[in-house]
Amino acid sequence: MRNYLLLTPGPLSTSQTVREAMLQDWCTWDKDYNEGIVTPIRKGLLAISGLSEDEYTTVLLQGSGTYCVEATIGATVKSSDKLLILANGAYGERMAEIARYYHIDHVLVSLHETELITGEVARRALEANPGITHLSMVHSETTTGLLNSIEEVADVIRGRDITFIVDAMSSFGGVPIDMKALGIDFLVSSANKCIQGVPGFGFIIAKREKLMACKGIARSLSLDIYAQWETMEKGGGKWRFTSPTHVVRAFFQAMKELNEEGGIAARYERYKQNHRTLVDGMRALGFKTLLPDASQGPIITSFLYPSADFNFVAFYEALKQKGFVIYPGKISDADTFRIGNIGDVFPKDMEKLLENIAGLSPDLIKGAGE
């Protein structure tokens, strides 16, 4: 039974069967857990990505997605390297904060939150900053809902011997990504996003040769992705430190349900339908999107306040009472709120949300349509 439908970018609404998967306890040393659950997850992540185990591998790591982004940056960028960070939102900016904490030599190119990261942005940054060895960026920037062009950036850095790190936190599993064709060396995501698991761990998909080069670089014991990988490889799925067993088992179920749905391509189509239903309906009610359709991704959608005196808290509480939880805005120079399109959510759920918004007191959406 759900208390409400989470229309957020994660944690998100999960299926009942994913939640039920957490009812059993597991021993972290037992082969039923390590060989029967953890190892199939690691292999399964490569399978849904269309990647060969000879060329790529996976690391699972306790904590939120940011733990995995920090772990990847901290274990791949040496003191003699130089990191270029392309950012257009809070999560790209967070990469720069991580670099500052680790005293990593880096350059931050900070765009406006509604400006796309493109190949031209990458090209100009590389021309202005010689000696770049690593480039990191966010694919789906949930600050606004932008879907940045990792394809264009990949074209620009191809052949330059630059390690490509992509935060695909809220896109992997819900948006097709050809990691091999794009030359992505490290892709980072989390259990509680488009795979539709629950919070508790994240994962890194990496080129084997690039991960092998990380030995001894990490500045943190618990965030050493090479050491974590080595233990999992030698221990048949064993984690170095206590793993979130219930969360891992839920993720195992979530991956099964992703494959049953038809894989990433099918889930992408559902998310796009959710987004289209939402946007068309909200525009019909008088609301305006922050972003133009051309730069909007299907993961989360930002809407402008309909009037200067719009009370988001009252709007939020009214929808929560009707069984829907949405998200406040995060952009610095515009008043917005956000509605997520991912999770165990379908177009019929968006239609129900729209019906409830349309039925709210006019005072709650004062100015909509003006």
Side-chain angles (χ1 to χ4, degrees):
M1 296 293 292
R2 284 176 172 152
N3 47 355
Y4 40 65
L5 193 70
L6 278 171
L7 298 176
T8 65
L12 36 69
S13 285
T14 55
S15 69
Q16 181 173 330
T17 42
V18 165
R19 297 193 298 276
E20 288 174 347
M22 294 186 285
L23 295 175
Q24 177 66 49
D25 298 323
W26 297 89
C27 173
T28 59
W29 286 88
D30 193 89
K31 69 178 183 179
D32 289 345
Y33 174 70
N34 291 315
E35 296 179 13
I37 297 173
V38 178
T39 297
I41 285 175
R42 295 185 64 217
K43 293 178 179 291
L45 286 169
L46 295 180
I48 63 174
S49 306
L51 299 173
S52 163
E53 292 182 45
D54 293 333
E55 296 180 82
Y56 293 86
T57 188
T58 55
V59 186
L60 312 184
L61 187 68
Q62 300 92 326
S64 71
T66 296
Y67 283 56
C68 293
V69 174
E70 178 174 337
T72 302
I73 291 174
T76 59
V77 187
K78 301 189 298 292
S79 58
S80 57
D81 292 331
K82 189 173 184 179
L83 171 65
L84 172 62
I85 303 166
L86 305 179
N88 57 352
Y91 300 97
E93 297 284 346
R94 189 174 293 174
M95 290 178 172
E97 188 175 5
I98 290 167
R100 289 192 291 271
Y101 264 78
Y102 282 73
H103 305 290
I104 288 172
D105 186 10
H106 69 284
V107 174
L108 170 64
V109 174
S110 186
L111 307 179
H112 188 269
E113 293 146 316
T114 58
E115 183 181 355
L116 277 173
I117 296 172
T118 62
E120 184 57 30
V121 168
R123 185 177 293 105
R124 290 198 305 265
L126 290 171
E127 289 174 356
N129 300 281
I132 295 297
T133 59
H134 295 66
L135 185 150
S136 65
M137 63 179 289
V138 174
H139 185 205
S140 173
E141 179 53 82
T142 55
T143 299
T144 56
L146 279 172
L147 192 66
N148 289 311
S149 182
I150 52 176
E151 295 82 6
E152 289 187 14
V153 174
D155 285 342
V156 169
I157 66 175
R158 187 170 286 112
R160 294 177 184 253
D161 195 25
I162 292 174
T163 297
F164 193 14
I165 302 169
V166 174
D167 174 342
M169 205 65 59
S170 62
S171 59
F172 179 79
V175 178
I177 301 171
D178 192 333
M179 189 171 167
K180 182 174 182 179
L182 296 177
I184 298 172
D185 298 297
F186 296 90
L187 182 147
V188 187
S189 193
S190 181
N192 61 294
K193 301 291 185 176
C194 295
I195 304 291
Q196 298 181 185
V198 299
F201 79 94
F203 53 88
I204 300 103
I205 303 176
K207 280 186 180 176
R208 279 187 176 269
E209 63 174 332
K210 291 284 186 172
L211 184 61
M212 296 305 97
C214 293
K215 185 176 182 178
I217 297 176
R219 286 86 161 168
S220 165
L221 171 66
S222 58
L223 299 183
D224 186 338
I225 61 173
Y226 178 86
Q228 183 87 335
W229 172 84
E230 186 176 50
T231 299
M232 287 184 167
E233 289 284 297
K234 292 181 178 179
K238 180 74 175 65
W239 302 49
R240 285 183 301 155
F241 311 119
T242 304
S243 66
T245 53
H246 299 78
V247 173
V248 173
R249 180 60 181 85
F251 189 77
F252 180 79
Q253 175 64 26
M255 287 190 66
K256 177 183 177 184
E257 293 176 14
L258 170 64
N259 286 319
E260 288 171 350
E261 185 173 351
I264 293 173
R267 186 154 291 178
Y268 179 49
E269 289 303 316
R270 172 162 62 87
Y271 287 171
K272 286 197 296 182
Q273 290 174 24
N274 288 347
H275 169 70
R276 193 73 265 154
T277 301
L278 173 67
V279 170
D280 289 348
M282 289 293 280
R283 286 174 176 166
L285 292 173
F287 289 91
K288 296 179 180 179
T289 56
L290 170 70
L291 301 174
D293 290 348
S295 55
Q296 173 73 60
I299 305 302
I300 191 168
T301 313
S302 293
F303 294 94
L304 295 165
Y305 280 14
S307 66
D309 57 353
F310 176 73
N311 186 334
F312 171 75
V313 173
F315 183 71
Y316 171 92
E317 290 295 340
L319 289 178
K320 183 178 177 181
Q321 291 299 316
K322 294 179 179 295
F324 300 93
V325 166
I326 61 173
Y327 235 40
K330 203 167 187 174
I331 190 169
S332 59
D333 60 359
D335 291 324
T336 62
F337 62 89
R338 295 174 290 168
I339 300 178
N341 309 303
I342 63 176
D344 191 43
V345 176
F346 299 83
K348 60 181 176 57
D349 296 308
M350 292 303 185
E351 292 169 1
K352 188 68 174 176
L353 169 70
L354 293 164
E355 289 174 10
N356 279 278
I357 292 175
L360 293 176
S361 165
D363 289 341
L364 285 173
I365 51 175
K366 183 179 179 182
E370 293 182 357

